[in-house]
Amino acid sequence: MRGKAFSGKTIMVLCLASFLAGSLITSRTWSTSHNKLGELAPDYDHKRRLAEGKAEDIMGEVSKTHKAIQSLEKTISNLEMELTASRMSVGISQQKPQSSNHTLHKVFAVIGINTAFSSRKRRDSVRATWMPTGEKLRKLEREKGIVMKFVIGHSATAGGVLDKALDKEEAEYKDFLRLNHVEEYHQLSTKTRLYFSTAVSIWDADFYVKVDDDVHVNLGMLATTLAQYRAKPRVYIGCMKSGPVLTHKGEKYHEPEYWKFGEDGNNYFRHATGQIYAISKDLATYISINSPILHRFANEDVSLGSWMIGLEVEHVDDLSMCCGTPPDCEWKAQAGNICVASFDWSCSGVCESVEKIKFVHESCGEGDGAIWKADI
């Protein structure tokens, strides 16, 4: 402030010089920084590409690992299925249901007639009406490919009086399929499951039929009906119903697992009534292979229906398989609509079948020669 004052011209020159000097310094600094960035850019791009490549490689490895796990799971599943089938085969071979010869015979249908130790009179009434015996039974298998057997297990005391009586009956008629199963009414679901598994291990059939020993059957109509579905790989044939789920303990068809079917008052899913039904070979094989993990409900017809749920199965609702006894089946026969099977709903079979089944046969039967004329 005390020094000599600068003129305005001098101040202008100094400002201009300062501006030019600053511009020069800034230009050089930017040039240097730009050069350094230019030198760093290739290195950065290289590292970025490496990082991206590593990410892609990691994702590729993850995908390969996932596919390998899926393939391994599928292989394990297949091995479990094969192991189960092998175990079933070994278990069944130890049963020796008919003989020591377990050659798989190719037939059209296996008809298993569910029976019990106390049902000797029922079996005799069936043999006297709609089921061939002796040479005719063997001829039926040879010429028509139809196998018919009474299906039964053994008593709680194997080799006891009941089993010996059955051995004697078997020696006389040779029409039993013996299961490795303890006979008990509350084990019908298990018996049904084992019947299909055993039948599949002995006969290579197009169809496997289950029928109760107090139901009247017209074999010719049954064979003709089944033949219509011979080209179907997975078919489930019967009178389809959807009855109420009985929740009260003490009722005849009480379902202990009623809660699985929803609220009180709900009905079961559609399933064939238990008096008679048929399934194709693929379904019987499925039951045989998966037998250990198939759930069994209290009622065997519900159990079978549950095994069909979730599969690609054609449900055939054939009302000719659940005709009533005379006059119902008689009127239908007179009109040319012969029934496959007849029984009374009130008795879940022919009421007092031992005395009445002969009357049903005479009134609603198709004639003894019908099965030999059936086109199958």
Side-chain angles (χ1 to χ4, degrees), residues 189 236 241 269 271-274 277 299-306:
S189 293
Y236 173 34
K241 66 175 184 178
F269 40 77
H271 62 279
T273 183
Y277 50 74
N299 301 300
E300 58 98 7
D301 53 352
V302 172
S303 293
L304 180 70
S306 72

Side-chain angles (χ1 to χ4, degrees), residues 150-372:
F150 286 106
V151 180
I152 194 169
H154 57 81
S155 66
T157 54
V161 176
L162 294 176
D163 292 300
K164 289 179 180 178
L166 203 66
D167 290 340
K168 185 177 179 181
E169 187 179 348
E170 161 64 10
E172 180 180 357
Y173 291 101
K174 295 181 173 55
D175 56 5
F176 281 93
L177 174 62
R178 306 290 291 272
L179 305 177
N180 186 15
H181 167 75
V182 177
E183 284 293 317
E184 185 182 346
Y185 178 77
H186 296 292
Q187 292 294 324
L188 288 178
S189 293
T190 299
K191 183 177 179 179
T192 298
R193 190 181 65 176
L194 188 55
Y195 157 61
F196 286 119
S197 299
T198 305
V200 164
S201 75
I202 302 173
W203 298 283
D204 178 13
D206 294 321
F207 298 97
Y208 298 84
V209 182
K210 178 262 178 181
V211 58
D212 288 339
D213 61 5
D214 57 351
V215 172
H216 180 269
V217 177
N218 283 315
L219 289 177
M221 283 304 302
L222 174 60
T224 301
T225 298
L226 296 179
Q228 297 176 35
Y229 303 98
R230 207 167 191 172
K232 303 283 186 178
R234 294 172 298 278
V235 64
Y236 173 34
I237 310 168
C239 287
M240 299 295 163
K241 66 175 184 178
S242 180
V245 181
L246 302 180
T247 61
H248 299 294
K249 192 173 183 179
E251 293 178 298
K252 184 177 181 181
Y253 299 112
H254 167 62
E255 177 57 70
E257 298 181 89
Y258 61 87
W259 61 273
K260 290 185 177 180
F261 298 93
E263 302 299 325
D264 286 352
N266 281 1
N267 285 353
Y268 287 113
F269 40 77
R270 290 284 175 185
H271 62 279
T273 183
Q275 285 83 356
I276 180 172
Y277 50 74
I279 59 175
S280 55
K281 175 184 175 180
D282 284 2
L283 299 181
T285 303
Y286 170 83
I287 292 173
S288 176
I289 292 174
N290 296 284
S291 182
I293 59 173
L294 293 178
H295 186 69
R296 291 156 291 167
F297 289 101
N299 301 300
E300 58 98 7
D301 53 352
V302 172
S303 293
L304 180 70
S306 72
W307 302 337
M308 302 295 105
I309 294 293
L311 303 181
E312 286 295 336
V313 175
E314 181 177 347
H315 289 58
V316 177
D317 185 14
D318 191 332
L319 297 181
S320 72
M321 296 178 76
C322 55
C323 293
T325 54
D328 180 44
C329 60
E330 187 175 17
W331 290 342
K332 291 174 180 176
Q334 291 173 356
N337 301 317
I338 298 174
C339 295
V340 172
S342 301
F343 56 89
D344 299 303
W345 285 105
S346 60
C347 300
S348 298
V350 176
C351 294
E352 299 178 351
S353 64
V354 173
E355 295 79 18
K356 191 177 176 182
I357 200 167
K358 185 177 181 180
F359 168 66
V360 177
H361 186 65
E362 292 172 348
S363 303
C364 305
E366 61 191 349
D368 294 338
I371 182 59
W372 309 108

